[in-house]
C-alpha cells in the first residue's frame, strides 16, 4: 500500500513504571483514515517489531479509531534487570490501502521496592536447632538485599528474647540454654528496612534440643511370630517395646526402625508396633521357596550420639486356600465345521488350567457345570475338562435354529474349602460348508423393453438363492448372448443385485429379440438361467425425405393448382406405414400461396400453388419464399392418442423465387435499391455439394489460366525501324494486332538477366516481375544509357506516328545499343525500362533504370 500519515500522535515517547501490572495504559493515540475507506481500518494498529525484542507491550482499542499501548505483564518490567527503553514499531493499514509505520519509545522508570531476603529464608521457613548447654554464639546469618542497593537495617521481635541481631544481619544467642528450664522453641521475627521506610519480615524458629547419653533396651522377650498369608496392610503382628534409662517417663522419645531390607512389614517409630505393610503372598516368590521373613529391629533415643539397641525377629508365613483355579487364556475360541460328527473332542480345558496355591490340599480342582444356549449339544468331562460334541451342529438343520456361534460357560472349582471357582467363556464358531448349488427363482426370464429405453436403464432383474446358511453371497454375470454386430454385449448385469441394464440403444428394426445366459455363483458352485429380452417397436424413426432442400423458380402469373416445377416430395419411414405421413408447411408460406397435395396418407406429395400472386395491388411483396416443411409420421393417430404416443418429424427446406411477368408493369422510382440476399442451403446430408463446387471452381480457374497463357505467348512487341524525319531518329511502338491503331501494351519486358541454372537469357518487367525467355529473332532492347542527344530526340517525338515514318537508329544510337547490359562495379544488372505515358502526353523513348 501507499505510505501515508495515519498514526496521529506518533512518533512519541512515553514512560511506564517498573513492575507495572497487566493492562496498565502506557500511551494513547488515534488513527486518521480516508473518507473513502468507510471510516475503518483493514489492519488495526499492531506492534510489528521492537528494539530490543519484548512481549511486554500490546495495543488494544480505546474507542472509535482510538487505541492505547498497554503492558501485558509477561514479562513484568524490571528497571534493574531489563533494558531501560523500548522502541516499538507500530503498523496500520486503512481500507483504502494506505499504510503507516511509526515508532513509540517507551522508557521504564525506577520505583522504590521492598527489600528482599536471600538464601534459604527467601524460599522457606528456617528452623534452627541448638543443643542445650551450648554457649552464646552466632546461630544464623540473615541475608537481604535492596533492589536499589540502599543500606538496610535489621531488627528483631519480640524484644525480650535471649537473641539479638547485628547490623550485618547475624543472629546471636545471648545465653546458655537449659532444656528442662527454658522454652523448647523460640519464634524470632526478623525485619529488614530500607531508607525509604519499606520493610520485609521473616520468621526464624529456634528449637532447643535435649541431650541424652544413655542406651535404651528392649523389654519384649518373644522373637518368633507366625501369621497366615494375605493379611491386609495394617494388621498387627507384634508390639515391640523398649525403655530409655535417661527418661523413663518419656517413652515417646524413643525411635523404632527396621534395619534389614524388607517390603512386607513396617514398625511404628513412636510405639514400636510391628504391622503388615504390603501384600504377603505365600504362593509367589520368594515366599513360595522360603516362607519366613527375618527382621532386624532397632530402637534409639534422641541423644546426639544416637544411643540404640537391636534385636532379630522371625515371622513365618502360613499358606491358605486363597486362589481360585485359573485358566490361560481367559477365554477360549474354537472352530468346527457344521458337518462335524458326534463324539469329537473340541477342547481340552485341563491343559490350560492351574491352581497356584502351594499346599497340595489347597490346589486341587475339578470342572463342574456347562451352561449356555445350545449347551445340550455338548458334554464336559469333570476330571480333565474335555468338551465333547454329542449332537448335531448342522446350520441347515431347523432344530439348531441356524446358530453359528455357541457361547458356552465352563466353571472350574476348588475341592478344598472355601470352594473358590472361576467361570470361563468358550466360543464355538460353526464354520459353514457350501452344501448346495444356487437356484434361480425361475429357469427362464422374459423382459419386454421398448426400443427407446434410455441407455443405462434397468430392464429387469434376476434372483437366485441357495439353501446354505448363512446365505451365500451370490454374484451374477452374463456368460453368453446379448451381442450385436456393433457391440460385443449391449447388456450389463449388476453382479450383486442381479439388475439387468442396457449399455447401448436397442433397435427393433435391427434385432427384435435377445437371448442371454445369466450365471449365478456362490464362489464355489454355479447355476445358469436364460433371459429373453423382447424389443418392443416404438415410432422412433423420423421420416426421411428426398430432396431435403431445393431451390425452385415460378413465374408471377402461374395458375392456381399448378404443380410447381413438377416438384414432388418422396418420403419414407422405417417404422411407420407410408399412409401415416402428414405434410405441413410450418414457416415461410406468406399469404399461404403454397400447399401440398395430398397433405396426408401418402409417402409422395406434390407442391401446389394454392393462391395466385398479386404484386400489382401490393398484396404480395415477397419475391423469395423460404418454406419449412415438417413431415410427421403420426400413424394416423386420433387427437386423443397423439398426446400419449410418440411421433417424429422430418424437415425439408424449399426456396422458391418468383420471377416477375415481363408484361407486368412495375412502378419504379428514379432511385433504385440493390438487395443482395445470401442463402445457405447446405445440409449435412448433401455432402457432395461442397465437393462439386470445389472441383468445378478448380477446373474453371485452370481453364482461365491456360487461356491467359496462350494469349500471352501470342502477343509480342513489333517495333521495326521507320526511317528518319528531318535527320532525327524516331522511335514508335504499336501492337502487332493492329498496325493502324496505337495500343497500350499490357506488359513491357524492360530488363534482361541470365538464369543461374540453365544459363539461358530471360526478359522481365521490373514493375510486375513478369518473365519470359528471350527469343533470338527479336531485336535487342535499347540500353538504358543512351546518349543525351538520342534520348532527347526520342522524347521529342509524338506518340502516334504512321508505320512508314518510324525512326531509324543513328550511328550514335547503334553504338549505345552495343553497350553491355551489365556494367562492372554495379550492384546488379542494368535493367532498361520502357515507360508509357498517357495519350495526351505522347510517347517517350525508353530510359534506363538501375
Amino acid at each position: 500500500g501507499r505510505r501515508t500519515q495515519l498514526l496521529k500522535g506518533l512518533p512519541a515517547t512515553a514512560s511506564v513504571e517498573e513492575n507495572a501490572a497487566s493492562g496498565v495504559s502506557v500511551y494513547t493515540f488515534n488513527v486518521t483514515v480516508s473518507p473513502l475507506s468507510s471510516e475503518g481500518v483493514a489492519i488495526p494498529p499492531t506492534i510489528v517489531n521492537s528494539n530490543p525484542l519484548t512481549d511486554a507491550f500490546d495495543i488494544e482499542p480505546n474507542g472509535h479509531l482510538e487505541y492505547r499501548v498497554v503492558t501485558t505483564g509477561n514479562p513484568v518490567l524490571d528497571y534493574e534487570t531489563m533494558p531501560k527503553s523500548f522502541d516499538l514499531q507500530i503498523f496500520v493499514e486503512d481500507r483504502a490501502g494506505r499504510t503507516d509505520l511509526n515508532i513509540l519509545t517507551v522508557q521504564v522508570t525506577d520505583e522504590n521496592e521492598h527489600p528482599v531476603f536471600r538464601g534459604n529464608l527467601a524460599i522457606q521457613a528456617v528452623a534452627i536447632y541448638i543443643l542445650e548447654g551450648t554457649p552464646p554464639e552466632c546461630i544464623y546469618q540473615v541475608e537481604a538485599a535492596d533492589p536499589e542497593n540502599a543500606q538496610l537495617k535489621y531488627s528483631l521481635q519480640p524484644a525480650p528474647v535471649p537473641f539479638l541481631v547485628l547490623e550485618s544481619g547475624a543472629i546471636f544467642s545471648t545465653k546458655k540454654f537449659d532444656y528442662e528450664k527454658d522454652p523448647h522453641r523460640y519464634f524470632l521475627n526478623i525485619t529488614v528496612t530500607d531508607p525509604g521506610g519499606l520493610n520485609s519480615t521473616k520468621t526464624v524458629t529456634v528449637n532447643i534440643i535435649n541431650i541424652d547419653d544413655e542406651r535404651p533396651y528392649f523389654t519384649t522377650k518373644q522373637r518368633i511370630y507366625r501369621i497366615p498369608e494375605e493379611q491386609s496392610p495394617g494388621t498387627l503382628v507384634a508390639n515391640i517395646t523398649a525403655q530409655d534409662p535417661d527418661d523413663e517417663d518419656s517413652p515417646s522419645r524413643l525411635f523404632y526402625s527396621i534395619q534389614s531390607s524388607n517390603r512386607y512389614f513396617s514398625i511404628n517409630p513412636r510405639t514400636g508396633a510391628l504391622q503388615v505393610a504390603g501384600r504377603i503372598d505365600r504362593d509367589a516368590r520368594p515366599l513360595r521357596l522360603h516362607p519366613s521373613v527375618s527382621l532386624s529391629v532397632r530402637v534409639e533415643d534422641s541423644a546426639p550420639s544416637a544411643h540404640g539397641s537391636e534385636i532379630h525377629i522371625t515371622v513365618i508365613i502360613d499358606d491358605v486356600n486363597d486362589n481360585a483355579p485359573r485358566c490361560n487364556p481367559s477365554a477360549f475360541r474354537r472352530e468346527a465345521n457344521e458337518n462335524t460328527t458326534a463324539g469329537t473332542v473340541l477342547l481340552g480345558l485341563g491343559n490350560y488350567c492351574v491352581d497356584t496355591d502351594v499346599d497340595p490340599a489347597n490346589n486341587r480342582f475339578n470342572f463342574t457345570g456347562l451352561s449356555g444356549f445350545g449347551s445340550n449339544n455338548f458334554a464336559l468331562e469333570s476330571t480333565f475338562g474335555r468338551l465333547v460334541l454329542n449332537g448335531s451342529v448342522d446350520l441347515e438343520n431347523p432344530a439348531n435354529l441356524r446358530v453359528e456361534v455357541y457361547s458356552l460357560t465352563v466353571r472350574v472349582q476348588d475341592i478344598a474349602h472355601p470352594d473358590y471357582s472361576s467361570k470361563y467363556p468358550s466360543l464355538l464358531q460353526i464354520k459353514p460348508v457350501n452344501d448346495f448349488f444356487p437356484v434361480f427363482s425361475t429357469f427362464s426370464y422374459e423382459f419386454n423393453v421398448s426400443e427407446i429405453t434410455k441407455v443405462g436403464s434397468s430392464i429387469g432383474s434376476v434372483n437366485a438363492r441357495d439353501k446354505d446358511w448363512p446365505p451365500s453371497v451370490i454374484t451374477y454375470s452374463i456368460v453368453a448372448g446379448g451381442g450385436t454386430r456393433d457391440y460385443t454385449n449391449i447388456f450389463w448385469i449388476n453382479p450383486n443385485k442381479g439388475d439387468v441394464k442396457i449399455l447401448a440403444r436397442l433397435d427393433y428394426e435391427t434385432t427384435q429379440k435377445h437371448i442371454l445366459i445369466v450365471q449365478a455363483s456362490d464362489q464355489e458352485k454355479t447355476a445358469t438361467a436364460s433371459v429373453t429380452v423382447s424389443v418392443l417397436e416404438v415410432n422412433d424413426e423420423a421420416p426421411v425425405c428426398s430432396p431435403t432442400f431445393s431451390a425452385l423458380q415460378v413465374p408471377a402469373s402461374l395458375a392456381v393448382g399448378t404443380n410447381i416445377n413438377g416438384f414432388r416430395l418422396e418420403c419414407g419411414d422405417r417404422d411407420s406405414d407410408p399412409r401415416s405421413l402428414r405434410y405441413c408447411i410450418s414457416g415461410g408460406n406468406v399469404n399461404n400461396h403454397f400447399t401440398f397435395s395430398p397433405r396426408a396418407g401418402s409417402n409422395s406429395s406434390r407442391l401446389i400453388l394454392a393462391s395466385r400472386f398479386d404484386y400489382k395491388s401490393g398484396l404480395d411483396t415477397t419475391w423469395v419464399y423460404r418454406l419449412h416443411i415438417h413431415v410427421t409420421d403420426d400413424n394416423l393417430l386420433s387427437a386423443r392418442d397423439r398426446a400419449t404416443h410418440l411421433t417424429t418429424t422430418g424437415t425439408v427446406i424449399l426456396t422458391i423465387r418468383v420471377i416477375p411477368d415481363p408484361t407486368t408493369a412495375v412502378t419504379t422510382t428514379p432511385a433504385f435499391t440493390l438487395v443482395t440476399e445470401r442463402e445457405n442451403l447446405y445440409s449435412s446430408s448433401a455432402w457432395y455439394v461442397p465437393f462439386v463446387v470445389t472441383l468445378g471452381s478448380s477446373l474453371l480457374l485452370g481453364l482461365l489460366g491456360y487461356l491467359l497463357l496462350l494469349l500471352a505467348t501470342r502477343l509480342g512487341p513489333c517495333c521495326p525501324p521507320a526511317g528518319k524525319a528531318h535527320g532525327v531518329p524516331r522511335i514508335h511502338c504499336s501492337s502487332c494486332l493492329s498496325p493502324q491503331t496505337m495500343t497500350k501494351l499490357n506488359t513491357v519486358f524492360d530488363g534482361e538477366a541470365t538464369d543461374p541454372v540453365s544459363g539461358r537469357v530471360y526478359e522481365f518487367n521490373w514493375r510486375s516481375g513478369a518473365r519470359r525467355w528471350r527469343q533470338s529473332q527479336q531485336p535487342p532492347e535499347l540500353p538504358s544509357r543512351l546518349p543525351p542527344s538520342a534520348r532527347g530526340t526520342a522524347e521529342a517525338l509524338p506518340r502516334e506516328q504512321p508505320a512508314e515514318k518510324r525512326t531509324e537508329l543513328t550511328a550514335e544510337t547503334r553504338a549505345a545499343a552495343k553497350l553491355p547490359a551489365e556494367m562492372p562495379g554495379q550492384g546488379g544488372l542494368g535493367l532498361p525500362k520502357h515507360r508509357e505515358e498517357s495519350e495526351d502526353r505522347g510517347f517517350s523513348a525508353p530510359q534506363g533504370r538501375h
Side-chain angles (χ1 to χ4, degrees):
R2 303 181 301 275
R3 177 71 179 275
T4 312
Q5 182 66 31
L6 300 178
L7 297 171
K8 185 178 181 180
L10 293 178
T13 301
S15 62
V16 63
E17 291 185 349
E18 65 172 329
N19 300 321
S22 174
V24 174
S25 178
V26 178
Y27 185 75
T28 302
F29 62 92
N30 296 325
V31 176
T32 303
V33 298
S34 170
L36 299 179
S37 63
S38 301
E39 297 186 355
V41 294
I43 300 177
T46 306
I47 299 175
V48 297
N49 195 8
S50 65
N51 184 24
L53 292 174
T54 183
D55 294 329
F57 303 95
D58 197 4
I59 298 177
E60 62 182 23
N62 195 33
H64 182 63
L65 298 180
E66 183 178 85
Y67 299 86
R68 64 174 185 169
V69 180
V70 297
T71 58
T72 62
N74 184 25
V76 178
L77 298 174
D78 187 2
Y79 182 85
E80 287 74 26
T81 61
M82 296 177 65
K84 308 299 186 294
S85 177
F86 296 91
D87 292 332
L88 309 180
Q89 294 184 359
I90 300 176
F91 174 81
V92 68
E93 180 178 348
D94 64 8
R95 295 180 180 175
R98 303 185 307 162
T99 62
D100 193 8
L101 180 68
N102 262 313
I103 297 177
L104 173 64
T105 301
V106 180
Q107 297 178 347
V108 181
T109 60
D110 189 18
E111 67 173 356
N112 189 17
E113 301 175 81
H114 287 268
V116 294
F117 287 92
R118 299 288 178 87
N120 293 335
L121 197 59
I123 60 176
Q124 64 185 4
V126 175
I128 301 173
Y129 296 89
I130 302 176
L131 298 177
E132 65 172 328
T134 302
E137 61 181 355
C138 179
I139 62 173
Y140 190 74
Q141 175 66 48
V142 178
E143 296 181 1
D146 185 73
E148 290 76 31
N149 296 323
Q151 186 69 30
L152 301 178
K153 294 182 179 181
Y154 297 89
S155 60
L156 185 148
Q157 294 292 336
V161 291
F163 299 95
L164 61 85
V165 59
L166 303 182
E167 294 182 356
S168 62
I171 301 176
F172 282 82
S173 61
T174 60
K175 61 173 289 189
K176 181 184 293 187
F177 294 96
D178 186 351
Y179 183 83
E180 287 74 22
K181 296 180 181 180
D182 294 327
H184 298 169
R185 183 174 297 160
Y186 296 90
F187 297 95
L188 306 181
N189 294 324
I190 308 300
T191 301
V192 57
T193 307
D194 67 2
L198 298 179
N199 59 70
S200 299
T201 301
K202 288 285 186 177
T203 300
V204 176
T205 302
V206 180
N207 297 291
I208 306 303
I209 305 300
N210 188 19
I211 297 176
D212 191 356
D213 56 353
E214 293 293 335
R215 186 183 300 276
Y217 61 92
F218 289 95
T219 59
T220 301
K221 304 302 180 181
Q222 185 177 351
R223 298 292 184 269
I224 298 176
Y225 299 88
R226 182 182 292 270
I227 61 172
E229 64 171 329
E230 298 294 352
Q231 299 297 310
S232 59
T235 301
L236 181 63
V237 177
N239 282 317
I240 308 300
T241 59
Q243 291 184 354
D244 188 351
D246 289 330
D247 194 355
E248 295 291 343
D249 299 329
S250 303
S252 61
R253 297 184 59 186
L254 298 178
F255 298 95
Y256 298 89
S257 63
I258 298 176
Q259 300 298 307
S260 58
S261 176
N262 153 69
R263 64 179 180 178
Y264 302 109
F265 303 97
S266 65
I267 192 168
N268 190 309
R270 294 291 184 182
T271 64
L274 184 63
Q275 300 171 335
V276 175
R279 182 187 177 189
I280 303 176
D281 187 3
R282 172 70 174 81
D283 308 308
R285 292 186 178 187
L287 296 180
R288 188 177 185 88
L289 301 177
H290 305 283
S292 63
V293 179
S294 297
L295 303 175
S296 177
V297 180
R298 179 179 177 82
V299 62
E300 295 179 348
D301 60 14
S302 57
S305 58
H307 301 145
S309 301
E310 293 185 5
I311 60 172
H312 294 281
I313 295 176
T314 299
V315 180
I316 299 175
I317 310 300
D318 294 331
D319 181 46
V320 296
N321 184 19
D322 60 336
N323 293 311
R326 294 285 183 268
C327 298
N328 187 22
S330 59
F332 297 92
R333 184 183 183 90
R334 291 293 184 270
E335 292 183 350
N337 292 335
E338 61 174 322
N339 55 2
T340 302
T341 59
T344 301
V345 176
L346 304 177
L347 177 63
L349 295 174
N351 299 326
Y352 303 97
C353 301
V354 67
D355 191 327
T356 58
D357 286 316
V358 175
D359 192 341
N362 297 329
N363 60 17
R364 291 183 299 168
F365 58 90
N366 55 21
F367 299 89
T368 63
L370 178 65
S371 60
F373 180 78
S375 58
N376 57 332
N377 290 328
F378 307 92
L380 180 65
E381 294 182 356
S382 174
T383 304
F384 301 103
R386 289 185 295 184
L387 184 64
V388 181
L389 178 66
N390 63 357
S392 172
V393 291
D394 188 4
L395 294 176
E396 290 78 34
N397 188 348
N400 294 329
L401 300 177
R402 297 179 176 177
V403 177
E404 299 180 46
V405 178
Y406 289 89
S407 180
L408 307 177
T409 301
V410 178
R411 171 187 280 183
V412 185
Q413 183 175 354
D414 267 337
I415 296 177
H417 183 77
D419 302 328
Y420 288 117
S421 64
S422 301
K423 292 183 178 181
Y424 291 92
S426 298
L427 296 179
L428 183 61
Q429 177 76 42
I430 306 303
K431 296 174 58 177
V433 177
N434 192 359
D435 300 322
F436 301 95
F437 283 84
V439 177
F440 280 95
S441 58
T442 180
F443 292 105
S444 177
Y445 295 85
E446 292 186 4
F447 302 142
N448 295 324
V449 185
S450 172
E451 64 174 325
I452 61 171
T453 302
K454 293 183 179 180
V455 174
S457 300
S458 177
I459 62 174
S461 63
V462 298
N463 184 38
R465 294 288 184 269
D466 63 12
K467 296 181 181 180
D468 286 310
W469 184 265
S472 301
V473 176
I474 304 297
T475 57
Y476 302 92
S477 61
I478 299 175
V479 296
T484 63
R485 182 183 61 184
D486 299 326
Y487 300 96
T488 304
N489 201 329
I490 63 174
F491 298 94
W492 175 82
I493 188 169
N494 189 312
N496 300 319
K497 298 180 180 180
D499 296 335
V500 180
K501 297 183 178 181
I502 58 174
L503 302 179
R505 186 176 180 272
L506 301 177
D507 188 5
Y508 176 84
E509 287 73 26
T510 302
T511 305
Q512 290 79 32
K513 183 177 294 185
H514 299 271
I515 298 178
L516 316 177
I517 302 300
V518 178
Q519 175 179 280
S521 172
D522 62 359
Q523 317 310 318
E524 293 184 13
K525 297 178 173 61
T526 61
T528 58
S530 66
V531 176
T532 302
V533 180
S534 298
V535 182
L536 302 181
E537 183 180 13
V538 177
N539 185 20
D540 62 335
E541 298 285 346
V544 177
C545 299
S546 176
T548 56
F549 62 89
S550 181
L552 308 175
Q553 292 183 353
V554 298
S557 59
L558 187 67
V560 175
T562 303
N563 183 195
I564 297 175
N565 291 159
F567 179 80
R568 180 182 296 273
L569 192 62
E570 300 286 345
C571 299
D573 194 326
R574 295 179 61 191
D575 58 3
S576 296
D577 190 90
R579 294 173 296 174
S580 66
L581 302 181
R582 287 188 298 111
Y583 304 87
C584 175
I585 302 177
S586 61
N589 193 7
V590 181
N591 293 335
N592 297 320
H593 286 299
F594 307 97
T595 186
F596 275 91
S597 178
R599 295 185 180 180
S602 175
N603 65 336
S604 176
S605 184
R606 298 175 301 162
L607 181 63
I608 303 297
L609 183 66
S611 62
R612 68 180 185 85
F613 300 104
D614 188 358
Y615 292 98
K616 293 181 179 181
S617 63
L619 179 62
D620 289 321
T621 58
T622 302
W623 294 92
V624 177
Y625 294 84
R626 184 178 178 85
L627 304 183
H628 291 260
I629 296 93
H630 285 171
V631 183
T632 306
D633 59 345
D634 55 3
N635 291 317
L636 298 180
L637 296 173
S638 64
R640 178 178 58 84
D641 295 335
R642 291 174 187 172
T644 60
H645 289 72
L646 179 65
T647 61
T648 54
T649 302
T651 303
V652 177
I653 298 176
L654 299 181
T655 302
I656 302 176
R657 186 178 301 276
V658 180
I659 306 301
D661 191 6
T663 61
T664 302
V666 181
T667 303
T668 59
T669 59
F672 68 93
T673 302
L674 179 62
V675 178
T676 301
E677 180 176 325
R678 297 181 179 180
E679 295 181 354
N680 183 12
L681 301 180
Y682 174 72
S683 173
S684 59
S685 61
W687 58 269
Y688 55 86
V689 173
F691 173 78
V692 172
V693 172
T694 304
L695 181 60
S697 302
S698 302
L699 294 176
L700 181 59
L701 291 176
L703 179 59
L704 292 176
Y706 179 73
L707 293 177
L708 290 176
L709 180 61
L710 292 179
L711 181 60
T713 54
R714 293 180 180 273
L715 295 179
C718 295
C719 301
K724 297 181 179 179
H726 304 290
V728 180
R730 295 178 296 173
I731 299 177
H732 177 75
C733 292
S734 63
S735 174
C736 297
L737 298 178
S738 178
Q740 287 82 13
T741 304
M742 298 300 297
T743 306
K744 183 177 180 180
L745 296 176
N746 292 330
T747 303
V748 177
F749 295 90
D750 49 5
E752 292 183 356
T754 303
D755 182 37
V757 178
S758 62
R760 296 179 60 186
V761 178
Y762 64 91
E763 300 172 335
F764 63 91
N765 182 281
W766 74 278
R767 288 184 179 273
S768 64
R771 301 182 182 185
R772 70 177 182 184
W773 296 112
R774 190 181 70 180
Q775 301 179 4
S776 58
Q777 67 272 17
Q778 291 184 345
E781 297 281 344
L782 290 177
S784 60
R785 288 177 290 185
L786 294 176
S789 59
R791 189 160 56 244
T793 304
E795 291 176 355
L797 293 178
R799 179 180 178 181
E800 295 184 0
Q801 293 290 340
E804 62 274 7
K805 295 184 178 181
R806 294 174 181 170
T807 307
E808 295 181 357
L809 295 177
T810 62
E812 184 179 3
T813 303
R814 293 191 184 96
K818 296 179 180 180
L819 292 176
E822 183 176 356
M823 300 299 294
Q826 300 295 324
L829 296 174
L831 303 178
K833 172 189 174 185
H834 292 278
R835 184 178 60 197
E836 293 180 353
E837 303 293 344
S838 60
E839 294 183 358
D840 56 349
R841 296 179 57 185
F843 185 80
S844 62
Q847 295 182 359
R849 177 182 177 92
H850 295 273

